[in-house]
RNA sequence: GCUGGAGUGGCGGAAUUGGUAUACGCGCUGGUCUCAAAAACCAGUGUCCUUACGGGCGCGUGGGUUCGACUCCCACCUCCAGCACCA
């Protein structure tokens, strides 16, 4: 058969049904076997797969298949991140049920995955919208509630007035609702939160143990958690003596504090201005900032507005009375909601002070401009230097002064060293339908009560009308709302909010290990066997939220005694995006290449090979219609070579009787096995692994095997090696060729080839000769030749002696088996 | 601004305990085959000078270390990504 689209389609469907029937990729936990857990981030079921999925899942598939051939018991599951807003939107738009829509998409994706030849254990396929899955969301929530980690509080949230729902920060784009494009408000609402901050310290510290994560992901998480060391200082209101705690990371600048600023929401503000002439004015200002959106207030380039309260605060280190202002650049959520302002050494304070003509005082001398006066400053000096105008700390270097002043204040009882975090608790309430119902009940006598665990799941009711008019659909479903109190049995009311879908994805990797368990969330021993995930692969867009939440859940479940690992994911690879004409593929740009049409024309193997060969997995990948022809052509050559040489000759080869040709091919076989094995094991550099297999192919195609039976055997060995090494990348074709060559299926059961270091040793080596740093000649010499011998050979070389030209040789440097550098 | 990363042919990209820059592939040029085309195969392909032999210059820019630098050091430029009034 010639290598045609038709032949490829025959081969691919043949092996896809073989794998299905044989359940080739089904696994069980077995402590007698060494395990490998290979995981990709599960997809949102949106319909057909796109190139991003193809890339992500092909990378994972190669890792999984490679590890299988290396003899590992490989867990390689897939599932669907099936709750969420897109399904609800589609339901509104098409007037269908979100569940129906979702399951239709899942079916399409499932079929696409089969067509790609992915090696999933289909018995573990999960969907988060399945009640057997989200039941355990509810169970986890209740465990958190019992430990005080799930709690309800009122706080300002993004609120879309037209959709009547809260929005996550990431759902607010340019201060507009991502769905209806209306302006978003701030609203104070009672919502459910998860106390992720309980784990701040561990989440930060354990980043250090994640040696096999990309450094930028760790850096992003570190920034997000945002630990800062500082001092909480007690300023006092001058008249009443009421304490105003202020947080600073720069206690060394305290002598330069010339005013204090409170956030507009600060509870003290109202008391300070009550019954004073400033009252009306200050309240007007607070009203004004309230109406400003969080988005506008938080943008750094916004001009800083503020107003004097008429009150004064006493600086604890020098007794100085300084004015108390209210300003929008101080945020209630961070620190204590109050700051001491040091305009000379903080840029924001500097701008604000200039704007409002507030006093300034230099307390740290800029070593570059020691004579600098306040009037000449054009910006704050935020660097380090010696303290001036700072009482008994004059002359102390600022870095040292941070410690000394903090300690001194602690001794005086006016300050305390503390730590502040940027990380906030996680708001998980959503006023939406297509999600996990939060399993809580409100009872008039018992208060807020969790649903009893025996009654889980709280099933999401079907046939709910989703109009898109706003508000929670469940809140309009009386049969759902009415329920007896789990504690006293009296008539009570269910929570109608659902969980943010990031909850669902924070632990799905645990469910795969025991996907069908109906008794408990998972069997502890099974999960102990499979965890941690050895290789996790997904997009960089999840660098913070999903990966941080998963780390949090892992630590929580560990503390419940269900897990023995501290971290869920050992190695992490963030794959790059697939571009076309320099842009990310997207429907709106109209530059989408549909994987289905590529598979129809070239087959899945060609697509897989191309996508791995075009770029290293972490880099962006530019789609190239021409280069996919190259991938096709290469597989055609493998096919033809295997068909041609797979005769029944297979006597052993004996390197002693090799001629130079044989020796060269033999060495290339072993060099290729070594290179591919290393590239697959360590950095997942599939592009260079493939190029090395191409080099071996180029060589074996030139090899003339007609001379002897041994030559034919050697050639067979070469082509067998190519088939084995390519089988994780182009599995359908390699299964077919493996069978054609007389081996029994599946090639996945064959063992990964090993290489012999002895075979890589060469008799002679090509040495480069440099004269005065320039390459002038290449000389073939025996391996490990002595300097003496080399000198003799090289100086006898006419070309070299021409460059030396009788001049004195000042240096003769030998790099063994590589190069000689002569200086004259 | 802060954090992380990247700059190599016409293109995607190789190469770092410092040792032949451009592996492998795409594209392009010429050839074989063919009535012709496609496919396939063979040869060539950084750039400048030279008919050729050969030589000069070349890994973002400028310096430095070294017999030797894509690789190490210093300074800078550009681009990408994330965070950003966080006190």
């Amino acid at each position: 058969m010639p290598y045609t689209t038709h032949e490829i389609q025959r081969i691919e469907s043949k092996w896809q049904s073989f794998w299905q029937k044989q359940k080739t990729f089904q696994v069980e936990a077995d402590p007698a076997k060494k395990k490998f857990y290979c995981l990709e981030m599960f997809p949102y079921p949106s319909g057909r797969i796109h190139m991003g999925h193809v890339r992500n899942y092909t990378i994972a598939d190669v890792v999984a298949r490679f590890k299988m051939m290396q003899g590992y018991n490989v867990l390689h599951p897939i599932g669907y991140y099936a709750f969420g807003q897109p399904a609800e939107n589609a339901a509104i738009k098409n007037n269908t049920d979100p569940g129906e829509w979702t399951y239709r998409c899942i079916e399409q994706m499932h079929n696409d995955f089969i067509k790609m030849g992915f090696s999933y254990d289909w018995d573990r396929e999960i969907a988060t919208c399945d009640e057997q899955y989200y039941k355990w969301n509810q169970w986890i929530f209740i465990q958190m509630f019992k430990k005080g980690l799930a709690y309800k509080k009122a706080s300002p949230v993004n609120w879309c007035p037209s959709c009547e729902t809260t929005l996550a920060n990431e759902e607010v784009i340019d201060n507009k609702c991502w769905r209806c494009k209306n302006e978003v408000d701030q609203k104070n609402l009672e919502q459910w939160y998860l106390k992720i901050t309980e784990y701040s310290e561990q989440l930060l510290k354990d980043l250090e143990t994640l040696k096999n994560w990309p450094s930028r992901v760790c850096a992003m998480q570190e920034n997000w958690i945002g630990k800062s060391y500082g001092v909480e200082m007690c300023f006092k209101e001058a008249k009443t003596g009421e304490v105003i705690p202020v947080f600073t990371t720069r206690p060394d600048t305290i002598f330069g504090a010339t005013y204090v600023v409170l956030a507009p929401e600060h509870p003290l503000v109202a008391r300070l201005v009550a019954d004073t002439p400033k009252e009306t004015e200050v309240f007007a200002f607070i009203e004004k900032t309230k109406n400003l959106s969080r988005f506008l207030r938080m943008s750094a380039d916004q001009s800083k507005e503020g107003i004097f309260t008429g009150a004064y605060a006493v600086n604890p280190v020098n007794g100085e009375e300084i004015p108390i202002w209210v300003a929008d650049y101080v945020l209630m959520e961070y620190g204590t909601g109050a700051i001491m302002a040091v305009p000379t050494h903080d840029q924001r304070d500097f701008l604000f002070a200039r704007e409002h003509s507030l006093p300034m005082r230099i307390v740290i001398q800029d070593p570059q401009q020691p004579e600098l006066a306040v009037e000449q400053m054009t910006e704050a000096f935020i660097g380090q230097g010696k303290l001036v105008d700072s009482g008994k700390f004059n002359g102390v270097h600022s870095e040292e002064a941070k410690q000394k002043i903090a300690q001194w204040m602690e001794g005086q009882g006016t300050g305390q060293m503390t730590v502040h975090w940027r990380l906030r608790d996680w708001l998980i309430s959503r006023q939406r339908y297509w999600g996990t119902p939060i399993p809580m009940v409100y009872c008039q006598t018992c208060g807020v009560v969790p649903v009893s665990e025996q009654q889980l799941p709280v099933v999401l009711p079907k046939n709910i009308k989703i109009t898109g008019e706003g508000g929670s659909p469940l809140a309009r479903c009386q049969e759902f709302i009415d329920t007896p109190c789990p504690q006293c049995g009296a008539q009570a009311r269910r929570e109608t909010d659902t969980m943010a879908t990031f909850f669902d994805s924070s632990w799905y990797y645990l469910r795969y290990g025991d996907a069908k368990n109906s008794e408990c969330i998972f069997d502890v021993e099974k999960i102990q066997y499979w965890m941690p995930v050895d290789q996790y692969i997904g997009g960089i867009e999840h660098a913070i939220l999903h990966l941080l939440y998963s780390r949090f859940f892992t630590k929580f479940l560990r503390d419940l005694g269900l897990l023995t690992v501290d971290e869920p994911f050992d190695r992490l690879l963030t794959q790059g995006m697939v571009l076309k004409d320099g842009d990310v593929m997207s429907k709106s740009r109209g530059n989408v290449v549909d994987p289905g049409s590529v598979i129809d024309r070239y087959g899945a193997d060609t697509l897989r090979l191309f996508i791995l060969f075009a770029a290293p997995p972490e880099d962006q990948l530019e789609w190239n219609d021409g280069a996919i022809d190259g991938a096709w052509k290469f597989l055609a050559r493998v096919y033809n070579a295997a068909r041609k040489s797979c005769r029944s000759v297979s006597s052993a080869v004996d390197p002693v009787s090799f001629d130079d040709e044989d020796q060269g091919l033999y060495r290339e076989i072993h060099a290729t096995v070594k290179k591919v094995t290393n590239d697959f094991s360590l950095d997942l550099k599939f592009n260079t692994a493939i190029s090395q297999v191409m080099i071996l192919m180029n060589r074996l195609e030139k090899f003339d095997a007609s001379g002897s039976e041994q030559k034919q055997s050697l050639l067979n060995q070469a082509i067998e090696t190519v088939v084995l090494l390519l089988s994780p990348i182009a599995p359908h074709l390699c299964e077919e060729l493996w069978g054609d060559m007389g081996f029994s299926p599946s090639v996945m059961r064959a063992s990964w080839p090993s290489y012999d270091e002895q075979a890589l040793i060469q008799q002679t080596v090509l040495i480069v000769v440099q004269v005065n740093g320039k390459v002038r000649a290449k000389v073939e010499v025996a391996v490990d030749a002595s300097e003496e011998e080399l000198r003799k050979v090289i100086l006898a070389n006419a070309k070299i002696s021409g460059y030396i030209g009788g001049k004195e040789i000042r240096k003769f440097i030998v790099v063994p088996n590589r190069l000689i550098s002569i200086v004259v």
Side-chain angles (χ1 to χ4, degrees), chain A residues 659-672:
Chain A
D659 61 23
D660 285 357
E661 283 288 296
D662 305 342
Q663 189 63 55
L665 181 59
Y666 185 69
R667 195 186 312 118
E668 203 71 73
I669 293 170
H670 288 264
T672 302

Side-chain angles (χ1 to χ4, degrees), chain A residues 401-607:
Chain A
K402 273 186 190 170
Q403 274 296 315
K404 288 201 159 164
I405 290 179
Q407 279 163 5
W408 176 63
M409 290 183 75
E410 279 198 337
Q412 303 273 308
T414 53
Q416 189 163 22
M417 288 188 245
T418 54
V419 167
H420 275 276
W421 303 87
R422 193 183 164 280
L423 185 68
R424 302 291 146 72
D425 282 342
W426 172 17
L427 166 68
I428 60 149
S429 302
R430 295 289 182 275
Q431 291 71 47
R432 288 187 179 140
Y433 168 68
W434 194 233
T436 305
I438 294 175
M440 300 300 288
V441 172
Y442 301 96
C443 169
Q444 292 222 309
T445 32
C446 308
V448 185
V449 186
V451 172
S452 93
E453 289 175 31
Q454 289 73 43
Q455 297 197 338
L456 295 181
V458 175
V459 177
L460 185 66
K462 292 194 172 78
N463 305 319
I464 291 285
K465 233 200 172 117
I466 305 163
T467 57
E469 274 161 17
S472 167
L474 291 181
R476 292 190 294 262
C477 178
Q478 207 56 44
E479 313 87 272
F480 177 77
I481 295 170
D482 293 337
T483 186
C485 167
Q487 223 155 54
C488 71
Q491 177 71 13
R493 178 174 60 84
R494 270 191 207 286
E495 170 65 66
T496 57
D497 285 354
T498 55
M499 296 182 193
T501 52
F502 271 117
F503 194 110
D504 314 0
S505 59
S506 296
W507 68 280
Y508 73 106
Y509 46 90
L510 299 168
R511 186 66 181 171
Y512 281 141
D514 193 12
K516 300 243 168 97
N517 197 323
S518 55
E519 300 302 309
C520 59
I521 182 167
F522 49 73
D523 178 273
V524 171
E525 276 179 23
K526 284 184 184 167
I527 299 310
Q528 186 169 356
Y529 173 74
W530 290 118
M531 286 298 284
V533 172
D534 294 280
Q535 178 70 61
Y536 197 27
I537 302 165
I540 186 70
E541 67 273 20
H542 294 111
I544 298 173
L545 298 173
H546 162 61
L547 291 170
L548 190 66
Y549 296 152
S550 297
R551 297 180 59 223
F552 161 47
F553 270 49
T554 296
K555 289 173 194 304
F556 171 69
L557 294 171
R558 175 205 60 194
D559 291 347
L560 277 189
L562 297 176
L563 294 176
T564 51
V565 291
D566 293 321
E567 287 288 336
F569 313 123
D570 182 22
R571 300 189 86 91
L572 174 67
L573 179 107
T574 52
Q575 98 276 358
M577 296 208 246
V578 182
L579 311 183
K580 178 87 194 292
D581 310 320
D583 277 317
V584 177
M585 282 187 187
S586 72
K587 278 184 195 149
S588 58
R589 287 193 184 85
N591 62 350
V592 174
V593 177
D594 167 40
S597 63
V598 178
I599 293 172
D600 287 345
R601 179 147 169 227
Y602 296 94
D605 284 344
T606 296
L607 177 56

Side-chain angles (χ1 to χ4, degrees), chain A residues 109-137:
Chain A
M109 280 198 140
H110 174 103
N111 291 335
D112 285 350
F113 291 151
I114 287 181
K115 280 198 146 187
M116 281 301 298
F118 294 144
S119 60
Y120 299 128
D121 180 351
W122 291 109
D123 291 348
R124 296 171 188 268
E125 196 177 19
I126 58 174
T128 56
C129 62
D130 180 342
E131 58 182 69
Q132 281 309 307
Y133 183 83
Y134 69 71
K135 172 181 177 179
W136 303 107
N137 278 347

